[in-house]
């Protein structure tokens, strides 16, 4: 059997990897123009079926000989299977994927008011899923709609759940967020269909506000699971959502595997705590690229952090460091050693958390006092004790994991 994923531009798709984890069939990437999409439906490439992504979901639905109930309602298909007598049948597994995403995060929508950001192809599946889950009210916000990004805080002030169904905040434009969640007085939860970066600015604000929240990776994997079931079962397979215990186990396993692969391991901690040495060791063991932000700083700017601090001051260095962090940290699958003071600028916290598991290398003060500070002007001028006092609470707050002395000793000796 031969399947694939169809889109206009798919340079970083994870679909082949996900489908390989679910089933044993050939799966390829199909980057096609609109005219070439029509040729696919004429059977020119001999495919047994394919998934469909932006911007062809509505076109795909219109070219199918048969459609599922969801596609009939939505007018958009993301899973296509060849019929025995010719032609194709279209399904929409995004509905199951979005439902799974909310349920896995414990977000209950029944009886609540919801605001969907965006009115494109993704929003129709989101709306359909929410209605099936019993939502009380749905509003839409778009750039030119009745509710838009200028008046949304007045017209949708009572919304309880906000769903970002737009690509706003997606890598590489990670600085963007569609709305300010703090301006919705009754907000209970926020969900973002974007999965790269793992923690968008939208999601990080939701987390900071203490809201229930969900990111798009679980939707991506869950919809692929149902698509794989349809591929294997053929065009007679009902699109009911493969919500069995076995299905959930497989979905969650792939989510974890993909998340582990995508997330950087980013090391924070005091100067001299061993970030560079440990980072190189981890990168070699995991087969990842290692980046030391201090070394990358010199490659980027042609001068060292120490030279900038000595000649232009710490403020200028921090500004330049943030620009570098913005460029490097939202990437995927790296091991990154950061400068000791990166946590002192709150602006950097978003970049640290965007696509990383942030690990704090916690060393005792007496260990740090023994380290060479000859090329560390801030350590010399402010003193290790003072830096340690100021920075330790910041490391603890920003990190996902704290690696203490005993763990670090074990890692270094392994």
């Amino acid at each position: 059997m031969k399947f694939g994923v169809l889109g206009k531009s798919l340079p970083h798709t994870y679909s082949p990897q996900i489908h390989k984890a679910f089933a044993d069939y050939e799966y390829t990437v199909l980057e096609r123009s609109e005219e070439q999409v029509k040729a696919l439906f004429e059977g020119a490439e001999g495919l047994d079926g394919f998934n469909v992504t932006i911007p062809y979901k509505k076109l795909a639905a219109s070219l199918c000989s048969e459609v599922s109930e969801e596609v009939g309602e939505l007018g958009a298909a993301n899973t296509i299977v060849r019929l025995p007598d010719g032609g194709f049948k279209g399904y929409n597994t995004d509905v199951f994927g979005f439902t799974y995403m909310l349920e896995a995060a414990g977000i209950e929508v029944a009886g609540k008011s919801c605001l969907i950001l965006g009115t494109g192809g993704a929003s129709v599946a989101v709306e359909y899923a929410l209605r099936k889950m019993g939502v009380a009210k749905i509003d839409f916000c778009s750039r030119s709609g009745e509710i838009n990004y200028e008046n949304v805080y007045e017209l949708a002030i009572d919304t309880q759940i906000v769903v970002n169904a737009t690509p706003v905040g997606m890598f590489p434009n990670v600085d963007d967020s569609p709305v300010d969640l703090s301006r919705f007085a009754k907000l209970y939860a926020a969900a973002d269909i974007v999965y790269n970066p793992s923690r968008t600015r939208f999601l990080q604000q939701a987390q900071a506000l203490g809201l229930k929240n969900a990111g798009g990776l679980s939707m991506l994997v869950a919809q692929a699971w149902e698509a794989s079931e349809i591929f294997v079962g053929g065009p007679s397979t009902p699109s009911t959502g493969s919500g069995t215990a076995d299905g959930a186990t497989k979905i969650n396993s792939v989510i974890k595997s993909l998340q582990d692969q995508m997330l950087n391991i980013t090391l924070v901690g005091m100067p001299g705590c061993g970030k560079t040495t440990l980072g190189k060791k981890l990168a070699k063991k995991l087969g990842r690229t290692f980046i030391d932000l201090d070394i990358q700083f010199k490659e980027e700017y042609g001068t060292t952090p120490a030279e900038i601090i000595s000649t232009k001051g710490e403020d200028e260095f921090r500004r330049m460091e943030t620009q570098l962090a913005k460029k490097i940290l939202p990437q995927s699958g790296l091991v990154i050693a950061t400068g000791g003071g990166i946590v002192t600028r709150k602006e950097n916290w978003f970049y640290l958390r965007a696509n990383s598991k942030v690990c704090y290398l916690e060393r005792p003060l007496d260990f740090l006092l023994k380290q060479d500070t000859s090329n560390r002007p801030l350590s010399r001028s402010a003193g290790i004790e003072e830096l340690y006092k100021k920075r330790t609470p910041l490391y603890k707050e920003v990190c996902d994991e704290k690696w203490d002395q005993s763990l670090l000793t074990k890692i270094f000796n392994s």
Side-chain angles (χ1 to χ4, degrees), residues 293-368:
L293 287 188
D294 283 346
I295 294 174
Q296 197 69 25
F297 187 97
K298 184 173 183 180
E299 293 183 10
E300 183 80 7
Y301 299 116
T303 184
T304 67
E307 289 167 346
I308 290 294
I309 292 169
S310 298
T311 59
K312 297 186 178 181
E314 183 181 1
D315 286 346
E316 176 61 12
F317 164 66
R318 294 295 174 209
R319 184 194 68 78
M320 296 168 72
E321 181 183 50
T322 294
Q323 292 305 305
L324 184 62
K326 178 179 178 179
K327 180 178 180 180
I328 301 296
L329 288 168
Q331 296 180 33
S332 295
L334 306 171
V335 175
I336 303 171
T338 64
I342 195 169
V343 295
T344 61
R345 194 171 188 182
K346 276 295 185 77
E347 185 179 352
N348 295 332
W349 287 29
F350 164 67
Y351 302 114
L352 285 166
R353 289 170 164 166
N355 225 20
S356 294
K357 179 168 71 174
V358 183
C359 304
Y360 166 37
L361 276 57
E362 184 182 48
R363 295 283 198 178
L365 182 57
D366 58 355
F367 176 92
L368 298 170

Side-chain angles (χ1 to χ4, degrees), residues 235-282:
S236 62
T237 304
S239 178
T240 57
S242 305
T244 63
D246 182 58
T249 298
K250 291 180 179 179
I251 291 167
N252 291 336
S253 175
V254 174
I255 290 171
K256 184 180 185 306
S257 175
L258 198 59
Q259 191 169 50
D260 287 345
Q261 174 190 330
M262 293 171 63
L263 288 180
N264 305 312
I265 297 173
T266 296
L267 308 177
V268 300
M270 284 288 291
C273 72
K275 297 186 296 291
T276 298
T277 304
L278 179 59
K280 289 178 178 178
K281 188 179 183 75
L282 285 174

Side-chain angles (χ1 to χ4, degrees), residues 387-398:
L387 293 181
Y388 183 83
K389 180 180 178 181
K390 289 180 178 179
R391 295 177 181 178
T392 295
L394 304 179
Y395 296 135
K396 290 180 178 179
E397 187 176 350
V398 78

Side-chain angles (χ1 to χ4, degrees), residues 105-211:
I107 297 175
E108 299 176 0
V109 306
K112 293 183 171 64
S113 61
C114 183
L115 175 69
I116 299 175
L117 306 177
T119 54
S123 69
V124 294
V126 169
E127 178 190 14
Y128 186 88
L130 289 170
R131 293 201 186 282
K132 287 186 72 174
M133 297 172 78
V135 70
K137 178 187 177 186
I138 296 178
D139 289 317
F140 288 89
C141 177
S142 63
R143 284 174 292 186
S144 57
E146 181 180 345
I147 299 178
N148 54 61
Y149 294 100
E150 298 298 320
N151 63 25
V152 65
Y153 305 109
E154 289 75 39
L155 298 185
I157 188 63
D158 291 333
T159 193
Q160 294 166 284
I161 301 171
V162 175
V163 179
N164 178 31
T166 78
V168 174
M170 183 184 294
F171 182 84
N173 300 313
V174 299
D175 272 322
D176 300 333
S177 183
V179 291
D180 179 358
L181 296 173
S182 69
R183 297 179 66 179
F184 297 101
K186 298 183 179 180
L187 204 57
Y188 150 77
D192 196 340
I193 68 168
V194 172
Y195 62 87
N196 185 19
S198 176
R199 290 183 280 202
T200 60
R201 193 173 286 280
F202 177 87
L203 276 188
Q204 287 197 38
Q205 186 182 27
Q207 292 162 358
L209 292 170
L211 304 173

Side-chain angles (χ1 to χ4, degrees), residues 81-93:
V81 181
R82 181 188 294 277
L83 293 165
D85 298 327
F88 291 88
K89 182 172 181 178
Y91 299 82
N92 192 304
T93 65

